[in-house]
Amino acid sequence: ILPVSTQSRTMRIYSHGTVAPLQEVSLSPQVNGKVVWTDERLVAGGIFRKNERILQIEAVDYELQIENAQAAVSRAEYDLAVMEGNAVIARDEWKLMQQSNRELLMADRNPQSSNQRPNPLVLYEPQLKNANAGLVSAKAQLKRAHLDLERTTLSAPFNCRIRRKM
């Protein structure tokens, strides 16, 4: 019988096998353009932390798209305001015509009713819908331009090591 005692020892275990990553992705920018900057660690074996910038694409074209989209939003807001104004004027004119028609009918003592619903085109209803749609579309293009500008920066989606650069 031997007494048991604890000791600290270093043990070496020799083994062989294949190490495989938990996740593997191919990263590529979602927008086109000239690469103007890359991190020096963008080489085989380079390590990046989550959200670290890996490369940068020239952003000038995308900044110009934002300016164009902002101008389109302004034009669409103007068009909508004009159509809303025209619709108010058209509605007022329609009411005046209806009132004038009623007075004429009363003078002729004709009991026929003049309360007709006007054609939607007369009241600018389709034009208003079209102007609203134009504004929605312009705002969507502006959001898209901002998104494209954000996409000029390629970042690590998680902590990672670069296998190869192509």
Side-chain angles (χ1 to χ4, degrees):
I1 298 177
L2 293 171
V4 177
S5 62
T6 59
Q7 294 179 341
S8 293
R9 287 188 173 207
T10 302
M11 296 181 62
R12 292 189 183 185
I13 300 174
Y14 297 96
S15 176
H16 67 282
T18 304
V19 176
L22 178 63
Q23 295 177 338
E24 187 172 332
V25 296
S26 294
L27 291 180
S28 61
Q30 291 179 293
V31 293
N32 295 323
K34 178 182 172 186
V35 175
V36 292
W37 179 85
T38 58
D39 192 291
E40 61 190 22
R41 296 172 290 163
L42 184 56
V43 293
I47 296 174
F48 288 89
R49 295 258 177 239
K50 182 178 182 175
N51 296 327
E52 278 188 319
R53 187 170 65 150
I54 297 173
L55 65 84
Q56 183 71 42
I57 294 174
E58 187 175 48
V60 173
D61 293 333
Y62 299 100
E63 291 165 350
L64 293 173
Q65 281 181 0
I66 288 175
E67 288 181 28
N68 284 336
Q70 287 170 333
V73 167
S74 294
R75 280 190 302 273
E77 287 171 343
Y78 168 78
D79 291 344
L80 179 59
V82 167
M83 281 303 141
E84 286 172 341
N86 288 343
V88 168
I89 292 168
R91 229 175 280 118
D92 290 345
E93 287 178 352
W94 176 260
K95 287 177 185 175
L96 285 172
M97 283 177 40
Q98 288 296 95
Q99 184 179 6
S100 177
N101 284 345
R102 263 188 245 120
E103 289 172 2
L104 286 174
L105 290 173
M106 293 301 272
D108 289 343
R109 291 186 168 81
N110 188 347
Q112 181 183 10
S113 174
S114 64
N115 288 332
Q116 298 174 349
R117 174 81 174 120
N119 184 314
L121 285 171
V122 171
L123 298 181
Y124 282 78
E125 290 173 3
Q127 296 93 322
L128 279 171
K129 283 183 181 179
N130 186 46
N132 271 316
L135 181 58
V136 168
S137 176
K139 286 181 177 181
Q141 290 299 321
L142 180 58
K143 283 182 183 179
R144 175 61 180 238
H146 280 289
L147 185 59
D148 285 347
L149 180 61
E150 287 177 23
R151 290 176 173 169
T152 60
T153 300
L154 183 65
S155 301
F158 42 78
N159 295 339
C160 62
R161 180 181 303 265
I162 303 297
R163 178 182 281 191
R164 70 176 177 260
K165 173 185 168 184
M166 296 190 297

